[in-house]
Amino acid sequence: MNIHYIAQYANYEDCGKNYVFSPGGVSKMNYFLYVLSQLGINTQVFSLCKHAKKGISLHRQGKTPFGQPVKYACSLNINIRLSGLIANMFSQIQLFWYLLFVPNNDTVFFYHERFYAPIFKIIRKIKRYKIICDIEELYTVHAQYTPQVIEEEKEYLRSFDKYTIATSELIREIGLNKEDVVVCNGVYAPILPLKDRQKNNPYIQVLYAGTFDKTKGGVYSAISAFKYLDLNFRLVVCGWGNNAEESKVQTLIREINAEKKEEQIKYLGFVSGTSETYRDLLLSSDIGLSTQNPKGDYNTTSFPSKIFEYMRSGLIVVSTPLKVVESLPIAQCITTIQHYSPEGIAEAIKKAAKETADSQHHHLQVMHNVFLEKFLNILS
């Protein structure tokens, strides 16, 4: 079996430092690639990541952390009117050309992005290979598009053969056949070897790792919670956002540190999820935060996969109350925020500091084994 994996993928430790990509998305992509390598399935990655430097970048070859070849498409990064539209069209042409020459007895597995849609609609009419679509969220819901545009995205997504999805809620929301779907909420197994935990500080270290997206708001609530925690609790913030969001995060941190007259909150900015720095950070922390706003519509069409990353590393998880989390076997291991406010998050952190992570690895291994079995079924 040959699989062509299509995504905006970048291996940061290889040549990904030169590309613009979603760290959270790449973490999930690496899990799928890890599973494929463990199953011994020949996999070729075609990446449509855009180059970070200005100008035109040519094709480049790379590898995943598991040795699979990666072909990075050419990209445009130019400062002219309609540059975003032109860059997307350039990527779409390359995607079409790549998919056109995939043999009909191979399988295409791709990570859903809205700008792929026109190309896959054409390819479905002229090629006969199996296409598996990974749906992490409905982007039109997150971006608050009109009901008509949201329905168009759903209709397009219903056109594929098989699916991996981030939450079972998406089956009903999109209108998929359950037999064609495997749910994969996050990264269940350690894709790189874990070291022993490295508790070498006298305080309780809390970690927020993730997006600075103002819509989800999790990072701002997490930081504000430390107004209500003494200096026995310290927060490390790493993640990503646009310039305005990063500036807002740093300003809020400076304000609280000034009020406490000590560096209670440390800002690291972007840290690659496959780097030694990030793995060491996970292993030196005690509590991991998943604090996105529980009232957002996106909560029914996406999943906070960082929960599994925290658990794999032995952290106690403090999470927003979400139905997609409460329905999972690992829900009993999570400290839920009872009242979503900075004070409520602070109370949950205090409670989590008294918990242990003894049963987490067992639950994750069970979920990984179940996923492997079901994933093999949709591949066959």
Side-chain angles (χ1 to χ4, degrees):
M1 178 186 293
N2 296 314
I3 286 186
H4 301 261
Y5 187 66
I6 314 294
Q8 294 192 58
Y9 176 83
N11 179 4
Y12 189 80
E13 303 308 312
D14 181 8
C15 57
K17 299 173 186 178
N18 300 317
Y19 290 87
V20 177
F21 60 93
S22 164
V26 167
S27 177
K28 186 70 169 287
M29 294 169 198
N30 270 328
Y31 178 60
F32 288 132
L33 292 167
Y34 166 75
V35 168
L36 290 168
S37 71
Q38 293 297 296
L39 294 173
I41 296 173
N42 184 46
T43 305
Q44 163 75 53
V45 181
F46 183 59
S47 173
L48 290 156
C49 267
K50 293 180 173 62
H51 206 277
K53 294 182 179 179
K54 297 297 181 184
I56 300 175
S57 68
L58 301 178
H59 286 293
R60 184 169 179 179
Q61 303 294 327
K63 288 185 179 297
T64 72
F66 322 107
Q68 296 128 323
V70 181
K71 182 178 182 180
Y72 292 93
C74 300
S75 72
L76 292 176
N77 190 349
I78 49 179
N79 287 325
I80 63 171
R81 188 180 179 187
L82 303 178
S83 60
L85 178 62
I86 294 169
N88 277 350
M89 289 178 64
F90 186 53
S91 294
Q92 287 171 337
I93 292 168
Q94 294 177 87
L95 175 60
F96 174 77
W97 196 249
Y98 182 89
L99 292 172
L100 187 63
F101 291 97
V102 170
N104 280 329
N105 58 346
D106 286 1
T107 297
V108 169
F109 180 22
F110 80 100
Y111 189 103
H112 167 51
E113 300 283 355
R114 285 189 71 220
F115 83 89
Y116 297 170
I119 303 309
F120 274 104
K121 286 178 181 178
I122 297 170
I123 286 294
R124 291 296 281 169
K125 295 177 181 179
I126 59 178
K127 298 293 288 187
R128 294 293 177 264
Y129 45 68
K130 178 190 286 186
I131 301 180
I132 302 171
C133 178
D134 176 52
I135 308 171
E136 294 301 312
E137 63 179 303
L138 287 174
Y139 297 110
T140 51
V141 172
H142 181 204
Q144 300 178 327
Y145 279 86
T146 64
Q148 180 181 347
V149 176
I150 293 172
E151 184 53 42
E152 287 173 358
E153 183 182 19
K154 293 178 184 178
E155 183 180 359
Y156 157 69
L157 290 172
R158 287 192 289 266
S159 68
F160 298 104
D161 300 301
K162 302 291 181 179
Y163 303 88
T164 57
I165 60 174
T167 165
S168 57
E169 291 291 321
L170 283 167
I171 299 175
R172 177 190 55 78
E173 188 73 24
I174 299 171
L176 302 176
N177 184 340
K178 289 183 179 181
E179 294 181 357
D180 296 331
V181 176
V182 177
V183 177
C184 183
N185 307 114
V187 183
Y188 302 138
I191 59 177
L192 295 171
L194 289 177
K195 303 174 183 177
D196 293 332
R197 288 191 59 74
Q198 303 167 351
K199 185 61 182 173
N200 53 12
N201 49 57
Y203 45 80
I204 297 166
Q205 183 164 297
V206 183
L207 174 64
Y208 177 92
T211 179
F212 297 164
D213 183 348
K214 64 181 180 181
T215 303
K216 294 187 175 181
V219 66
Y220 310 105
S221 299
I223 294 168
S224 297
F226 276 72
K227 294 178 182 178
Y228 306 95
L229 291 167
D230 62 40
L231 293 174
N232 189 45
F233 294 87
R234 305 295 174 101
L235 175 65
V236 177
V237 175
C238 61
W240 63 93
N242 59 37
N243 290 339
E245 289 165 344
E246 291 181 1
S247 177
K248 183 177 179 180
V249 166
Q250 292 180 70
T251 298
L252 185 57
I253 289 172
R254 283 195 295 269
E255 289 174 356
I256 294 175
N257 284 341
E259 185 179 319
K260 296 295 183 77
K261 298 181 180 179
E262 193 166 336
E263 189 184 41
Q264 186 179 21
I265 305 172
K266 187 174 183 178
Y267 177 80
L268 297 183
F270 172 68
V271 178
S272 167
T274 58
S275 67
E276 288 289 328
T277 300
Y278 185 60
R279 279 182 279 169
D280 290 345
L281 181 58
L282 284 168
L283 295 171
S284 64
S285 298
D286 303 287
I287 296 170
L289 299 182
S290 177
T291 49
Q292 65 193 49
N293 189 333
K295 295 182 179 179
D297 291 340
Y298 49 79
N299 287 318
T300 61
T301 59
S302 64
F303 189 92
S305 58
K306 73 178 77 176
I307 285 174
F308 296 102
E309 197 162 37
Y310 292 150
M311 284 187 165
R312 288 197 322 275
S313 301
L315 282 70
I316 300 297
V317 176
V318 170
S319 172
T320 299
L322 300 173
K323 288 183 179 179
V324 293
V325 175
E326 292 167 356
S327 62
L328 296 177
I330 46 88
Q332 61 186 293
C333 304
I334 295 172
T335 302
T336 302
I337 300 163
Q338 298 300 316
H339 304 288
Y340 188 75
S341 65
E343 298 97 320
I345 295 171
E347 288 303 314
I349 291 171
K350 291 176 187 176
K351 182 179 178 182
K354 301 173 184 177
E355 304 290 339
T356 62
D358 295 339
S359 63
Q360 292 183 170
H361 284 176
H362 168 73
H363 288 296
L364 290 175
Q365 187 60 50
V366 169
M367 295 177 78
H368 176 65
N369 292 341
V370 170
F371 172 70
L372 279 181
E373 182 180 347
K374 294 183 175 181
F375 188 53
L376 270 172
N377 287 337
I378 67 166
L379 288 177
S380 60

